[in-house]
Amino acid sequence: GSPPGPFRRPLPSVRAVDAVVGAVSARGGRSQMAAPVVIKKPDTHRREYSYLELDNGLKAVIASDPDCDKAGAALCVNVGMCHERKDLPGLAHFLEHMLFTGTKKFPKEGEYHEFIQQNGGMANAYTLCYFTNYMFEIKPEKLEEALDRFSRFFSEPLLTRDCTDREINAVDSEFQGGSTSPWWRYVGIMNQSANPDHPFHVACGNNKVLRDEPKERGVDLYEEMLKLYNDCYSANGMTLCIIGRESVPELQRVVKGLFGSVVNKGVTMPIGDHVSEHPPFVRSDWNRLLLMNPVQDVKELTFSWVVPYQSPLWRKKPTAYITHLLGYEGAGSVISALKQKGLISGCVSDDGKWLEGAFSLLNVSFDLTDKGLEQIEEIGVHLFAFIGMLQKEPPQKWIFDEMSKLAEIQFKFGEDSHPFELCQDMSLSLQRLPPAEVLAGRSLLYEYDPEGITSVLQKLTLDSVRVQHQAKTLADRCTDKDTSYGSPMAFLPIEEAWRSKWSSAVNPEDGSAEASKKYAASMGLALPKPNPFIPEDLSLKQLPAEPSETPISLEGLPPPLACVYHRQDDILKQPKAHATFLIYTQWMCQDTASFVKAEIWTRCVEEALQEYAYDAQVAGVSYAFSIGSACVTLTLDGFNDKLEVLLDAVMDKVVSMKEVPEHIYSIVADAYADEIRNAAFHSQPYRQCGMRFTELTSKGCIFPSYQKVEAFAGITRESLTGLAEQLFSTGGCHVEGLVLGNATAADAAGLAKRLASGLRLEKPMAALPDRAEAELPAGSTLWRLDGTDPEDPNHAVFMRLQLPLTVEAEMLLRLLDKVLGAKFFEVLRTQQQLGYIVSMGSTSSNLFSYLIAVVQTEFPPDYVRSRIDAFLDEHLKSVEEAVTAEEFATCQAGLLSELKMKHKTLQEESGRFLRYISSRTYDFTRRKRCIDFVEKEASLESLKKFVKVDVKNAPRIYSQVRKTHAKEDKALPEGASTPEDAEGLRTWTTHQETVKSFASTAVWQSINSDVKATTCAEAAKFCPPARAAA
């Protein structure tokens, strides 16, 4: 797959716990112990790490974790988009796809993915500019068998010519999926504006550039793909990470045996300054104004500089200091000053992420308000005044030292990851860092380098900046099209008036340091003050004599604190806590306008606190104040030492902000309007299916995005005055919560009481807001809907099959998914090429279990629906008649490995338990009962009976979104046709009318709304009865 879009730079983290391990060299024919390698690791990483280099030059980090509940591996090769022929853009991505089509030992297509999925795992890959990374995760018992399959992609892949057209189509579907994404449109323009004499380019690939144009030129794409693999995929350019239960010597044996045969071709792939003697961008081409007209409601202004490749400077990280200051949101920052003026709603300062390899980028990206759209010059004045001050003042060592200290703390207490994420991160890091630094080197700040910081700062000039501005208001000025997606855009000179103002901001008056500091101060700009949120007490609280496996309700809390559940952590053992409080209130559920007011108001509270809370966030303490299902939700997370301080600040702001300040409202309302418009009118088709289904089958404080857009038009800043009192006093409130981590029962009760006191919550509710979910009508229903985004070329078909939420139904559906999920992907995506987004799975709501199947496609949706039906007809019958005991046992063990996975973070643990508080079932032992059922009761016979009696007779609905884009559908495959709909298929063809009509006739199941039913036993009466099979 393609790599992800941009994301915020993680807050830096540093100091490490040393793990002394053996570094093994397998050169010279036999392994010998080399000098010990110290691999720095966080406290949470209790596995043993080892480094191994094979005779063929392949480098590997091996992690032995006897207690792991998932094993995994990733292999990164130093070949990417920038190593392919520039006239065949997407070739490296195409090769990534082709590699999965089989190996000599395992020639059957799809066998690898089916093996992984049935054994409780997942697999994927992505192509970057200079690297390609392949990864998987699986139950530990099957690691060696998975590695046997995985390793052969790099030693004996079939790369079958017959798969060429099909995999080009798969790449094209992926390309089309990004057609409305601002990030992928930006990447296309980056590609277009690169120096043609430099290898840099970015390409997903599509039918046009990989199939049509090469054919016209007489180029054999398949042979070029083979050449890229044979010439460039070399063992000495590969880095591997493996995590398993086996001992280090055993894992080393496996690695040598399976990866030792990968050929070392002695290839050195260029990186950094060695990529080319030519610059990646010609300055006259880069130093321009880029205008873009996005599909989505995006208003963004980015200042971007090309700087020397930073990866070799991993010990010093000079840009980390600069981006910390440019992205700072506290008092005196550029962001704070511009928010005070109502010009921006957010900002991030970061680098070029996966685009980097021959260069690096330093970006400052502002999310604009409507007011900010008209004041680009003023935003630039603030930014360049601050940059000018930094350029003339020497770097401040105390700022670096504070960053370093925070990084030490956050690394030492950094949260562990699952093998799927950790292996891919480590294999990529091993391409850039020494083995000892594969975990720590990405974030630790080892050396203060004021000269390096100053050097980068001096490169942030007006003569080297690209200014990127995108907004729908620029449509008339975007007279050109980019060469990737045909996006409306234009390159123009940076306006002279801007240059003049910005130049004066960089060098005010006599251009001295004092003049710059004075000028910056006149706009409220200054360096940050020391962070008051650095944690001091990092000790662990004494555990109870018998720690509970599940949360326990705290006793003796005064109303309206109805129930707060608590579990003191005895697994992760970190000085952190995680608390979530759900404050139910009737007021916001009365209509859409009230709900929208509540959403905007909670965001205004967050925005008003951002300047204060940003330091807490940097120091590893955060909060979220938002609207949940019929409740206001407050979440606190991070080092427990400072949680109460942050909670007090939130409560004080909630109570004291009687009126929302004008600049706060304008920032929040502007961003909120864009968000709900994008959700309502620019969501991907398969997401539209999901939103419509929720609107159809849920009631009680459920307001679709298009209704929010309508309600928002009538809301003013003044209408939010006194909203806290309306929310928490009108009709009373009801508080439930969950506190986890390094907190005693007394600590948890103290937080809850502090919340109630701080918010002045006194009056309990008589009854909670009514919430319910609908049973689907018997038989099959087709719901035809028009798409909402006229620029999206895709349709979507989303099938849901509904069953009651019993342990038996939920677990048998998950077993059925294990049997069929990979086959569905193989048949509908790999073989039939129906689209990039193709999946089958099982999921559950508060009251029902579902088998789901989704395809987003450029083929006619009725045809795609017929393919889903054909698959289900054939393969459900196959489950009844052909699934072997061996395959069932594999799927059963795979499901058990998923159910038994331990949480790696407090957020994960909270997610597992909070769902039962949100649904008000408090059924914290359900996971254990699910495990018991799968282990002791589930059988092949019970699955067959379940399919025959329940699944085949269950009600199902097809939500089918048809595009409104003028592009023609893809032609059906030769000999294919769309069959007539089955007799008895119920068809709906309207949207809002259907929702209204269905609501009046449906059978609705209620969610527990009894304020006194706050235990599992008391809530059981609200569980819907199991529906008899038809």
Side-chain angles (χ1 to χ4, degrees):
S2 305
F7 51 91
R8 289 182 180 269
R9 173 190 292 275
L11 298 168
S13 48
V14 191
R15 191 175 169 263
V17 177
D18 296 338
V20 181
V21 299
V24 180
S25 171
R27 299 194 178 280
R30 64 179 183 179
S31 301
Q32 296 181 356
M33 289 299 295
V37 173
V38 177
I39 291 185
K40 299 179 179 69
K41 64 174 186 174
D43 284 359
T44 51
H45 289 218
R46 300 183 179 104
R47 57 186 74 89
E48 177 186 2
Y49 289 103
S50 175
Y51 173 67
L52 174 70
E53 185 171 342
L54 303 184
D55 285 341
N56 59 8
L58 185 147
K59 301 175 179 66
V61 167
I62 292 166
S64 173
D65 183 356
D67 298 322
C68 73
D69 42 36
K70 275 286 187 287
L75 186 144
C76 185
V77 59
N78 61 346
V79 179
M81 302 173 188
C82 295
H83 301 115
E84 67 197 12
R85 286 175 48 169
K86 288 190 81 169
D87 64 342
L88 293 174
L91 184 66
H93 183 205
F94 171 64
L95 168 56
E96 173 217 305
H97 277 247
M98 288 290 288
L99 213 62
F100 286 118
T101 56
T103 63
K104 290 180 181 178
K105 183 174 180 180
F106 301 99
K108 181 184 173 185
E109 281 190 64
E111 193 275 345
Y112 166 72
H113 284 288
E114 184 171 25
F115 178 84
I116 296 291
Q117 186 167 332
Q118 289 191 344
N119 283 286
M122 53 184 165
N124 209 343
Y126 59 76
T127 304
L128 308 179
C129 283
Y130 292 89
F131 304 99
T132 304
N133 209 342
Y134 303 82
M135 70 291 299
F136 73 85
E137 179 179 84
I138 199 164
K139 68 178 184 179
E141 298 85 354
K142 293 293 183 178
L143 175 62
E144 187 167 355
E145 291 180 60
L147 287 171
D148 191 19
R149 290 160 170 80
F150 181 72
S151 64
R152 296 176 191 277
F153 293 139
F154 312 102
S155 59
E156 54 172 51
L158 293 179
L159 299 172
T160 309
R161 182 184 282 273
D162 290 346
C163 299
T164 301
D165 283 344
R166 198 183 64 210
E167 292 306 321
I168 291 174
N169 282 330
V171 169
D172 183 73
S173 293
E174 198 168 338
F175 172 84
Q176 298 298 339
S179 61
T180 62
S181 161
W183 165 250
W184 277 110
R185 290 186 164 209
Y186 158 74
V187 164
I189 296 170
M190 281 284 288
N191 193 48
Q192 177 180 335
S193 58
N195 183 354
D197 294 326
H198 189 281
F200 174 76
H201 69 286
V202 193
C204 174
N206 56 44
N207 285 341
K208 179 172 176 273
V209 298
L210 291 177
R211 184 187 64 198
D212 303 340
E213 292 179 354
K215 279 184 180 178
E216 291 172 6
R217 303 197 309 265
V219 174
D220 188 330
L221 183 80
Y222 175 76
E223 290 297 331
E224 292 299 325
M225 180 273 299
L226 277 183
K227 187 174 188 300
L228 182 64
Y229 178 83
N230 290 329
D231 290 354
C232 300
Y233 268 51
S234 176
N236 67 317
M238 295 178 180
T239 48
L240 175 70
C241 176
I242 294 177
I243 297 174
R245 281 182 182 169
E246 295 82 354
S247 66
V248 166
E250 181 63 16
L251 288 171
Q252 290 172 352
R253 178 194 65 77
V254 171
V255 169
K256 293 175 196 175
L258 293 177
F259 292 90
S261 59
V262 180
V263 177
N264 182 356
K265 298 159 188 173
V267 181
T268 300
M269 303 303 291
I271 195 78
D273 294 338
H274 304 291
V275 169
S276 175
E277 60 183 10
H278 302 285
F281 303 94
V282 177
R283 175 170 284 205
S284 59
D285 290 337
W286 182 264
N287 186 214
R288 292 188 287 175
L289 170 64
L290 167 61
L291 302 181
M292 292 177 282
N293 177 24
V295 173
Q296 300 175 10
D297 282 292
V298 174
K299 303 188 293 284
E300 191 174 82
L301 176 69
T302 298
F303 296 83
S304 186
W305 290 268
V306 179
V307 298
Y309 185 46
Q310 294 294 300
S311 191
L313 306 176
W314 58 271
R315 292 189 64 83
K316 301 174 180 179
K317 298 183 181 65
T319 56
Y321 177 94
I322 299 168
T323 55
H324 168 68
L325 294 179
L326 293 178
Y328 184 70
E329 298 186 34
S333 67
V334 173
I335 298 172
S336 177
L338 291 174
K339 282 186 172 183
Q340 288 286 337
K341 289 178 172 288
L343 303 184
I344 67 170
S345 58
C347 174
V348 60
S349 180
D350 62 4
D351 57 23
K353 303 306 176 188
W354 56 268
L355 300 178
E356 298 188 359
F359 60 88
S360 288
L361 295 176
L362 197 152
N363 303 316
V364 183
S365 297
F366 297 101
D367 296 321
L368 304 178
T369 62
D370 287 340
K371 183 179 177 182
L373 283 172
E374 306 301 322
Q375 299 195 39
I376 303 300
E377 182 181 287
E378 182 68 11
I379 293 170
V381 166
H382 280 71
L383 175 63
F384 281 104
F386 194 78
I387 289 174
M389 181 181 71
L390 294 180
Q391 288 173 336
K392 299 177 188 67
E393 289 276 337
Q396 305 290 301
K397 189 171 186 300
W398 77 264
I399 294 178
F400 175 87
D401 288 342
E402 183 179 272
M403 291 172 64
S404 179
K405 180 178 180 179
L406 283 170
E408 287 183 17
I409 294 170
Q410 293 197 15
F411 184 80
K412 176 179 172 63
F413 299 107
E415 290 161 337
D416 201 357
S417 301
H418 292 286
F420 189 76
E421 292 82 21
L422 186 59
C423 286
Q424 59 181 288
D425 288 347
M426 292 176 70
S427 63
L428 182 58
S429 290
L430 196 52
Q431 290 279 354
R432 299 165 167 158
L433 299 168
E437 298 292 338
V438 73
L439 285 168
R442 291 171 294 172
S443 54
L444 304 189
L445 300 173
Y446 288 111
E447 298 176 20
Y448 177 53
D449 181 18
E451 293 80 12
I453 293 169
T454 300
S455 175
V456 175
L457 279 169
Q458 298 307 320
K459 298 181 190 303
L460 307 186
T461 68
L462 266 172
D463 294 332
S464 61
V465 69
R466 170 173 285 182
V467 182
Q468 297 158 199
H469 183 200
Q470 62 173 325
K472 284 185 171 295
T473 55
L474 302 174
D476 292 343
R477 299 177 64 189
C478 294
T479 54
D480 295 328
K481 302 275 188 181
D482 91 88
T483 54
S484 292
Y485 284 108
S487 311
M489 48 80 70
F491 275 115
L492 301 170
I494 296 174
E495 295 185 19
E496 282 304 319
W498 296 358
R499 281 188 180 274
S500 176
K501 283 277 192 178
W502 296 348
S503 178
S504 297
V506 173
N507 294 298
E509 299 178 5
D510 61 359
S512 65
E514 188 58 36
S516 280
K517 189 173 181 180
K518 181 180 176 182
Y519 182 66
S522 72
M523 289 183 283
L525 304 178
L527 292 176
K529 293 182 169 56
N531 192 325
F533 280 95
I534 297 175
E536 299 165 9
D537 182 3
L538 297 171
S539 62
L540 296 181
K541 308 287 179 74
Q542 184 174 348
L543 286 167
E546 297 183 11
S548 172
E549 293 184 4
T550 57
I552 296 172
S553 181
L554 300 176
E555 296 181 358
L557 295 177
L561 297 173
C563 66
V564 174
Y565 284 89
H566 164 259
R567 196 189 86 83
Q568 188 170 344
D569 171 62
D570 61 337
I571 297 173
L572 303 177
K573 298 178 180 176
Q574 291 196 327
K576 297 179 180 180
H578 185 94
T580 301
F581 296 100
L582 311 179
I583 309 169
Y584 289 93
T585 165
Q586 289 279 10
W587 183 86
M588 70 180 187
C589 298
Q590 59 189 336
D591 53 39
T592 310
S594 300
F595 188 88
V596 170
K597 287 178 186 177
E599 280 200 317
I600 295 174
W601 176 77
T602 56
R603 296 182 188 203
C604 287
V605 171
E606 286 191 317
E607 184 58 46
L609 273 168
Q610 183 59 18
E611 189 178 283
Y612 172 84
Y614 183 77
D615 278 329
Q617 180 188 344
V618 170
V621 185
S622 63
Y623 82 101
F625 193 52
S626 61
I627 299 299
S629 179
C631 61
V632 178
T633 301
L634 174 65
T635 299
L636 301 163
D637 181 73
F639 293 105
N640 54 274
D641 180 41
K642 300 293 183 179
L643 283 191
E644 287 188 350
V645 177
L646 187 56
L647 174 62
D648 288 345
V650 176
M651 298 303 95
D652 181 65
K653 182 62 67 176
V654 167
V655 172
S656 65
M657 195 173 71
K658 305 291 186 183
E659 294 186 10
V660 176
E662 178 64 47
H663 76 282
I664 296 289
Y665 179 78
S666 66
I667 290 170
V668 170
D670 198 287
Y672 181 78
D674 287 347
E675 178 185 316
I676 58 178
R677 281 196 296 263
N678 282 329
F681 308 123
H682 300 298
S683 293
Q684 289 196 65
Y686 82 98
R687 294 190 184 278
Q688 294 175 39
C689 291
M691 291 189 294
R692 296 293 177 260
F693 181 80
T694 299
E695 181 184 358
L696 179 77
T697 60
S698 303
K699 69 177 181 180
C701 226
I702 298 292
F703 302 103
S705 296
Y706 72 89
Q707 292 181 7
K708 293 181 184 180
V709 172
E710 294 168 3
F712 176 77
I715 290 172
T716 63
R717 178 180 70 90
E718 291 74 17
S719 67
L720 303 185
T721 299
L723 198 132
E725 188 173 346
Q726 289 177 295
L727 264 178
F728 301 131
S729 297
T730 305
C733 58
H734 174 98
V735 182
E736 304 191 359
L738 176 67
V739 181
L740 304 169
N742 189 38
T744 65
D747 295 332
L751 275 178
K753 292 175 182 176
R754 210 176 188 107
L755 173 89
S757 173
L759 288 182
R760 302 172 188 173
L761 306 179
E762 298 172 353
K763 182 181 176 183
M765 293 173 71
L768 297 188
D770 291 329
R771 292 182 293 159
E773 295 180 8
E775 294 183 8
L776 291 178
S780 293
T781 304
L782 169 61
W783 192 13
R784 298 184 189 275
L785 296 154
D786 287 333
T788 59
D789 189 345
E791 296 197 49
D792 197 307
N794 295 288
H795 311 287
V797 183
F798 206 138
M799 186 278 295
R800 281 179 175 81
L801 183 150
Q802 186 189 66
L803 289 164
L805 188 62
T806 62
V807 166
E808 179 181 11
E810 184 183 11
M811 291 302 101
L812 289 174
L813 274 182
R814 289 185 66 171
L815 281 169
L816 183 61
D817 172 39
K818 280 278 171 279
V819 175
L820 298 184
K823 294 182 177 73
F824 184 84
F825 184 90
E826 171 66 18
V827 173
L828 274 73
R829 180 181 167 186
T830 306
Q831 295 177 17
Q832 298 179 14
Q833 291 291 296
L834 295 183
Y836 178 63
I837 296 175
V838 176
S839 68
M840 172 174 278
S842 65
T843 187
S844 59
S845 64
N846 288 320
L847 299 175
F848 295 100
S849 293
Y850 293 94
L851 180 71
I852 62 173
V854 59
V855 179
Q856 187 161 288
T857 183
E858 292 183 84
F859 286 100
D862 286 337
Y863 171 73
V864 172
R865 175 166 49 85
S866 75
R867 296 298 82 213
I868 294 174
D869 278 340
F871 177 89
L872 289 173
D873 289 346
E874 177 185 348
H875 287 82
L876 289 178
K877 183 178 180 182
S878 175
V879 172
E880 290 184 69
E881 299 176 357
V883 171
T884 64
E886 181 182 7
E887 183 178 3
F888 175 81
T890 296
C891 295
Q892 182 183 35
L895 175 56
L896 282 170
S897 74
E898 293 176 4
L899 293 170
K900 292 181 178 181
M901 280 180 66
K902 306 180 190 76
H903 60 270
K904 296 287 187 183
T905 67
L906 290 176
Q907 292 90 337
E908 269 188 56
E909 183 181 20
S910 178
R912 290 181 177 183
F913 293 132
L914 194 62
R915 59 177 294 197
Y916 301 117
I917 297 177
S918 299
S919 64
R920 303 201 73 242
T921 63
Y922 316 101
D923 191 5
F924 304 125
T925 62
R926 184 180 177 94
R927 190 182 191 89
K928 184 178 185 305
R929 299 202 313 278
C930 288
I931 291 170
D932 289 343
F933 175 82
V934 176
E935 277 185 329
K936 301 170 184 176
E937 298 182 47
S939 65
L940 179 54
E941 288 306 313
S942 66
L943 180 63
K944 289 179 179 180
K945 181 181 177 183
F946 175 68
V947 168
K948 182 177 181 178
V949 176
D950 296 282
V951 173
K952 286 188 172 181
N953 293 299
R956 68 175 73 171
I957 186 170
Y958 293 88
S959 306
Q960 195 164 288
V961 166
R962 183 173 188 85
K963 72 183 182 192
T964 54
H965 193 288
K967 183 180 178 181
E968 288 188 8
D969 291 341
K970 283 188 174 181
L972 300 189
E974 187 175 348
S977 62
T978 303
E980 294 291 326
D981 286 332
E983 188 176 343
L985 177 68
R986 182 185 300 103
T987 302
W988 297 334
T989 57
T990 61
H991 168 202
Q992 296 180 43
E993 295 86 344
T994 293
V995 172
K996 185 176 180 180
S997 173
F998 178 78
S1000 66
T1001 60
V1003 176
W1004 292 92
Q1005 299 288 354
S1006 294
I1007 295 172
N1008 174 14
S1009 61
D1010 186 342
V1011 292
K1012 296 181 180 179
T1014 56
T1015 67
C1016 184
E1018 293 165 339
K1021 62 186 177 185
F1022 286 89
C1023 295
R1027 178 167 40 198

